[in-house]
C-alpha cells in the first residue's frame, strides 16, 4: 500500500501527470528531442541547492532541438560521468537522496545545466517493500545538474542476486532492485532490463567480465601484451573517423541485428556514427548518434557466439557462393540490417528460400539465399568461424515462439480496466 506522500519531491512530481513509460529505439531522432520542462518546474527544495555550472562540464557533441536548447549525451562532475539513460542519485531535503533515471541533459536559456529525470519510489514512499527495492514511476522532473550526487545501480531481481554473490555487503548497500512500477496508484510488473542504458551500468563489468574467446586449436592465442597492442578488452577504441563499422543493437524490437554505420567522430570511449541504412522518420537525412566505443555484447541465447565479443566491428565480408545447412550460423538482411540467426530449414524443390530463426527477437523468417551471408564473430582483430549447431531443437524453438505470440495476443485482446 502506498504511504502518504509527504515529500515535496513526490507532490511536485505528481503534478506533472502520468506520462506513459516508453522505451527509446534507434529510430528516434535525438536531434529533435524536446524538453517539456524548464527551470520553473524545479521544486523549491531542489532550487535551494542549485549552484549552476559549478564543477560540471559537458561531455560529447551537442545537438539543438526546435526550442533552441542544446542537448548533450553526458556531463562530468567531480570526476564522475553521468550520461543520458543512466541511473543517478539526486539530492533531496535533509541530505536525503532519491533515485532517478536520466532521460535528457540540456542547457537552458540561462546557461544552466539541467537534467530530466524519471523518479523511482523507495521504501520511504511505499510501504511493505524491502529497503533495497525501488519502483519506477511515470513522473518526471527537471533538476539542476548540481543536484546529481552520483551514479546509482539499479538491477533486475536476477542480476541483483548475482550481484550479492560477487560483491561485499558494504558495496551491495548501494545497489537497488526494481521489477515493478507504480502507475495510476497501481503496482504492476516492469521489465527494467528493457530500459535503454541498463546493461551499460558499471556493475556488469563484474557480473559479466570480458573473457578471452575459445580460440580454435589451430589459432595462436595472443599474449596479454599483444592483446593490449590490438586494443582487445582494454577499454580503448580500435576504430577512427571515416571507418565503416557495424553496430550491434540491444534495443527491444531490434535485438541481435547489426546496423551498417560510418564513423563521423572518434573519442577515447565514444564514437559518433551515421547509420547508412536508417533514415530520420521526421525529415531528410540519416540517423546520427553517439555510441559506446568498447562495449561487450551479451551472451547469445543459443550459446553459439564467442564470449567477450564487442558490439562494434568492421563491415563483415560477404559470401555469396556459400552453401547453408541446418544449424549454420547466418546473418540475414532484413529490415535494413543484418540479423544474427541460424538456419532451421533448407529449401524444397530447388527454391532458394531458407527458414532462419532470429534468437535476439525469438522469431522465424523466410529468407532468400541472396539475402544471407555466413555469420562470423570479430574477436582479437580477426574474423572467427562460428561452429554450426546441426542438432538444434527446432520444435522447442517453435514452442517458445508460439507461447510468446499467444501471450502477446491475449494481452492485446484483454479488455481495458
Amino acid at each position: 500500500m502506498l504511504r502518504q506522500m509527504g515529500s515535496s519531491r513526490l507532490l511536485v512530481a505528481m503534478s506533472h501527470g502520468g506520462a506513459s513509460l516508453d522505451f527509446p529505439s534507434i529510430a528516434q531522432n535525438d536531434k529533435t528531442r524536446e524538453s517539456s520542462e524548464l527551470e520553473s518546474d524545479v521544486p523549491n527544495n531542489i532550487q535551494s541547492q542549485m549552484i549552476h555550472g559549478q564543477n560540471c562540464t559537458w561531455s560529447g557533441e551537442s545537438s539543438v532541438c526546435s526550442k533552441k536548447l542544446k542537448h548533450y549525451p553526458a556531463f562530468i562532475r567531480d570526476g564522475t560521468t553521468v550520461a543520458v539513460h543512466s541511473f543517478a542519485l539526486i539530492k533531496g531535503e535533509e541530505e536525503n537522496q532519491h533515485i532517478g533515471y536520466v532521460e535528457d541533459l540540456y542547457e537552458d536559456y540561462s546557461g544552466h545545466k539541467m537534467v530530466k529525470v524519471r523518479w523511482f519510489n523507495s521504501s520511504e514512499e511505499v510501504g511493505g517493500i524491502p529497503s533495497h527495492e525501488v519502483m519506477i514511476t511515470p513522473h518526471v522532473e527537471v533538476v539542476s545538474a548540481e543536484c546529481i550526487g552520483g551514479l546509482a545501480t539499479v538491477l533486475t531481481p536476477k542480476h541483483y542476486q548475482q550481484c550479492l554473490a560477487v560483491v561485499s555487503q558494504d558495496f551491495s548497500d548501494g545497489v537497488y532492485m526494481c521489477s515493478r512500477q507504480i502507475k495510476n496508484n497501481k503496482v504492476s510488473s516492469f521489465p527494467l532490463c528493457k530500459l535503454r542504458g541498463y546493461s551499460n551500468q558499471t556493475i556488469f563489468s563484474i557480473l559479466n567480465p570480458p573473457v578471452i574467446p575459445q580460440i580454435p586449436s589451430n589459432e595462436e592465442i595472443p599474449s596479454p601484451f599483444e592483446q593490449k597492442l590490438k586494443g582487445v578488452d582494454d577499454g580503448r577504441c580500435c576504430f577512427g573517423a571515416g571507418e565503416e563499422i557495424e553496430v550491434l543493437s540491444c534495443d527491444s524490437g531490434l535485438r541481435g541485428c547489426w546496423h551498417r554505420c560510418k564513423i563521423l567522430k572518434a573519442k577515447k570511449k565514444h564514437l559518433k556514427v551515421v547509420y547508412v541504412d536508417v533514415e530520420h522518420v521526421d525529415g531528410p537525412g540519416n540517423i546520427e548518434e553517439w555510441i559506446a566505443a568498447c562495449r561487450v555484447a551479451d551472451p547469445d541465447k543459443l550459446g553459439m557466439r564467442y564470449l567477450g565479443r564487442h558490439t562494434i566491428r568492421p563491415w563483415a565480408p560477404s559470401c555469396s557462393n556459400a552453401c547453408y545447412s541446418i544449424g549454420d550460423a547466418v546473418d540475414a538482411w532484413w529490415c535494413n540490417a543484418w540479423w544474427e540467426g541460424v538456419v532451421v530449414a533448407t529449401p524444397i524443390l530447388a527454391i532458394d528460400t531458407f527458414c532462419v530463426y532470429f534468437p535476439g527477437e525469438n522469431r522465424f523468417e523466410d529468407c532468400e539465399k541472396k539475402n544471407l551471408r555466413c555469420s562470423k564473430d570479430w574477436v582479437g582483430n580477426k574474423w572467427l568461424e562460428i561452429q554450426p549447431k546441426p542438432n538444434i531443437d527446432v520444435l522447442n524453438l517453435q514452442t517458445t515462439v508460439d507461447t510468446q505470440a499467444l501471450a502477446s495476443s491475449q494481452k492485446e485482446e484483454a479488455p481495458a480496466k
Side-chain angles (χ1 to χ4, degrees), residues 128-391:
I129 66 172
S131 60
H132 64 269
E133 182 177 0
V134 293
M135 296 184 183
I136 195 167
T137 77
H139 308 303
V140 297
E141 282 186 65
V142 173
V143 302
S144 167
E146 288 298 328
C147 297
I148 304 299
L151 294 176
T153 300
V154 186
L155 302 173
T156 63
K158 177 182 177 181
H159 289 144
Y160 181 80
Q161 292 301 322
Q162 292 177 356
C163 176
L164 294 183
V166 298
V167 302
S168 66
Q169 182 63 40
D170 291 339
F171 182 81
S172 65
D173 288 343
V175 180
Y176 299 89
M177 180 190 76
C178 177
S179 62
R180 297 184 287 178
Q181 66 176 335
I182 297 178
K183 188 175 182 180
N184 298 326
N185 289 327
K186 295 181 180 180
V187 177
S188 59
S189 61
F190 181 80
L192 184 74
C193 60
K194 289 189 177 181
L195 276 182
R196 193 170 181 180
Y198 172 79
S199 58
N200 291 336
Q201 298 181 85
T202 304
I203 189 67
F204 286 103
S205 64
I206 301 174
L207 299 182
N208 300 309
V211 299
I212 298 176
Q214 301 170 357
I215 307 293
S217 58
N218 60 342
E219 294 281 355
E220 181 180 353
I221 301 177
S223 67
F225 177 73
E226 291 173 328
Q227 290 183 39
K228 288 185 178 181
L229 287 179
K230 296 177 180 179
V232 179
D233 294 336
D234 64 354
R236 294 185 300 167
C237 176
C238 304
F239 301 93
E243 292 192 68
E244 296 175 329
I245 61 172
E246 293 181 347
V247 178
L248 181 63
S249 174
C250 301
D251 293 334
S252 176
L254 295 168
R255 286 183 293 258
C257 70
W258 291 91
H259 289 278
R260 299 191 302 174
C261 300
K262 291 185 178 180
I263 301 176
L264 301 179
K265 296 182 180 180
K267 295 189 176 182
K268 183 178 181 180
K269 295 185 178 181
H270 294 88
L271 302 173
K272 185 176 184 180
V273 301
V274 56
Y275 289 84
V276 175
D277 307 292
V278 183
E279 297 181 350
H280 286 307
V281 176
D282 301 323
N286 289 22
I287 296 290
E288 297 179 8
E289 72 170 358
W290 285 92
I291 63 172
C294 295
R295 177 182 172 185
V296 177
D298 295 332
D300 69 300
K301 180 179 179 180
L302 300 178
M304 300 177 67
R305 305 284 168 172
Y306 286 86
L307 295 176
R309 64 186 184 135
H310 284 180
T311 56
I312 60 173
R313 66 186 190 186
W315 282 16
S318 60
C319 48
S320 57
N321 296 324
C323 296
Y324 304 109
S325 303
I326 292 178
D328 285 349
V330 296
D331 294 335
W333 182 256
W334 182 65
C335 292
N336 298 321
W338 286 105
W339 292 72
E340 292 183 341
V342 57
V343 176
V344 295
T346 52
I348 301 177
L349 301 177
I351 300 176
D352 280 349
T353 300
F354 295 77
C355 182
V356 178
Y357 173 69
F358 298 151
E361 287 299 321
N362 193 34
R363 65 182 296 160
F364 294 95
E365 287 294 334
D366 290 329
C367 305
E368 295 184 44
K369 183 179 179 181
K370 66 180 181 179
N371 293 326
L372 297 179
R373 70 184 185 189
C374 298
S375 191
K376 299 181 179 181
D377 279 345
W378 179 257
V379 180
N381 276 14
K382 64 178 68 175
W383 291 106
L384 299 179
E385 302 286 343
I386 298 174
Q387 294 300 312
K389 202 178 185 73
N391 297 322

